[in-house]
Amino acid sequence: MAAPSTSDTLLPMKSYTLTQTLTGHKRAISAVKFSPSGNLLATSSADKTAIIYSLPSFTPLHTFTGHSQGISDLAFSSNSLYLATASDDTTVKIWNTSTGSLIKTLTGHSNYVFCINYNPQSNLIVSGSFDETVRIWDVKSGKCLKVLPAHSDPVTGVNFNRDGSLLVSSSYDGLCRIWASSTGHCMRIRRLWNFSTGKLLKTYSGHVNSKYCMSSAFSVTNGKYIVSGSEDNCVYLWDVQSRKIVQKLEGHTDTVISVSCHPTLNMIASGSLENDKTVKIWTQEE
């Protein structure tokens, strides 16, 4: 088990330690997500599959097969009953997390589907693609409600705000755009930012990120931290207010492309690329 870095430059905190390594995928990990209920972990991979694990044992429950190319992202519905997957085969698929069965396949994108999320009510799905568009889908019918000509480069991230009235998209074009979910109108354009004032709040540095589009997350179960992967094979934790690195988690053997923080437990999942292929679970000392 790899020990976290204990450099003198790090601030004291209860350390996260590696407690489990999941080896269910055969190729690079693309995304890891804890369910809102906290009892499931979903992982996706370039091996064309997604897997859900049951907590706390991390026993594999279902392996979702059906995509013809690698999966880039996944998202749980707010009740954790459904999982949506976004694939390089240009489709989005919706799965039942209890039975493992395929519910719907959403078609319309003309290039890789790179990112996906449900709205809080879970009646809509938003997807972003290398075709430079954002699509809003009706979950019940599987129909595309709106196509937003969102960006001038591939779309790298999409998500809704807390009440679902707005959605945000990001892109390799360097912009974040804010959209009205109901009309599809572009409300604002940002870079990273306090939404109401348009001001840059904080910048967190120290990790390595020059090549890949990697995820970051907020950890709020015991203090407030930013958690991110890195191209130096580590997971970094920053204190939100001070912006200081408080811990660096070492153990992966390739770029850490995705991280997820458990909604109620002091637990982090991280997924790594082709030379590693594993998902690691880190928990905080009691």
Side-chain angles (χ1 to χ4, degrees):
M1 184 181 296
S5 171
T6 56
S7 165
D8 291 340
T9 61
L10 303 185
L11 300 179
M13 65 171 284
K14 288 185 178 180
S15 296
Y16 278 85
T17 56
L18 178 62
T19 54
Q20 199 146 358
T21 298
L22 308 178
T23 58
H25 287 291
K26 297 176 182 176
R27 290 199 59 195
I29 306 300
S30 56
V32 295
K33 298 275 179 71
F34 285 108
S35 63
S37 63
N39 66 335
L40 299 172
L41 173 71
T43 64
S44 62
S45 169
D47 67 9
K48 310 176 190 177
T49 71
I51 302 173
I52 54 171
Y53 298 86
S54 174
L55 274 66
S57 64
F58 290 95
T59 303
L61 286 182
H62 300 290
T63 299
F64 301 100
T65 59
H67 282 294
S68 61
Q69 294 189 47
I71 300 173
S72 290
D73 198 14
L74 42 72
F76 281 101
S77 61
S78 57
N79 60 9
S80 305
L81 296 180
Y82 300 98
L83 183 75
T85 52
S87 172
D88 286 359
D89 66 12
T90 75
T91 71
V92 171
K93 292 183 183 291
I94 303 173
W95 313 83
N96 184 303
T97 60
S98 297
T99 66
S101 60
L102 176 65
I103 305 298
K104 281 186 174 64
T105 299
L106 312 182
T107 59
H109 281 295
S110 60
N111 207 329
Y112 310 140
V113 189
F114 192 71
C115 48
I116 193 167
N117 258 305
Y118 278 89
N119 69 339
Q121 298 80 14
S122 293
N123 64 323
L124 300 177
I125 284 174
V126 61
S127 59
S129 169
F130 270 53
D131 66 14
E132 302 175 5
T133 71
V134 169
R135 285 180 177 253
I136 302 173
W137 310 84
D138 178 74
V139 170
K140 188 174 182 180
S141 68
K143 292 181 179 178
C144 181
L145 301 178
K146 291 180 179 62
V147 181
L148 310 181
H151 293 278
S152 58
D153 277 307
V155 181
T156 56
V158 287
N159 209 344
F160 289 90
N161 67 339
R162 285 189 178 185
D163 65 10
S165 62
L166 300 172
L167 66 90
V168 62
S169 61
S170 62
S171 168
Y172 283 125
D173 65 14
L175 298 177
C176 291
R177 293 181 184 265
I178 311 292
W179 310 83
S181 303
S182 58
T183 65
H185 292 158
C186 183
M187 310 288 288
R188 302 185 185 189
I189 301 173
R190 295 283 181 253
R191 289 191 184 262
L192 171 58
W193 311 92
N194 179 302
F195 170 70
S196 58
T197 66
K199 292 182 179 178
L200 176 65
L201 294 178
K202 293 179 187 293
T203 300
Y204 302 87
S205 60
H207 65 316
V208 181
N209 186 196
S210 61
K211 183 176 180 182
Y212 296 103
C213 177
M214 56 183 59
S215 70
S216 56
F218 283 102
S219 174
V220 296
T221 53
N222 186 17
K224 293 182 179 179
Y225 305 101
I226 302 285
V227 182
S228 176
S230 177
E231 290 163 15
D232 62 3
N233 310 344
C234 297
V235 177
Y236 283 78
L237 283 78
W238 292 266
D239 179 89
V240 168
Q241 294 303 324
S242 71
R243 299 173 295 173
K244 300 270 181 73
I245 295 172
V246 292
Q247 201 175 358
K248 177 176 158 184
L249 308 179
E250 299 173 328
H252 282 292
T253 57
D254 204 346
T255 293
V256 180
I257 198 72
S258 182
V259 295
S260 180
C261 297
H262 193 278
T264 58
L265 302 176
N266 302 328
M267 181 182 293
I268 297 167
S270 58
S272 185
L273 292 185
E274 194 75 15
N275 291 331
D276 184 308
K277 307 182 187 69
T278 70
V279 173
K280 294 187 182 293
I281 308 300
W282 312 83
T283 56
Q284 201 171 34
E285 297 171 354
E286 296 295 333

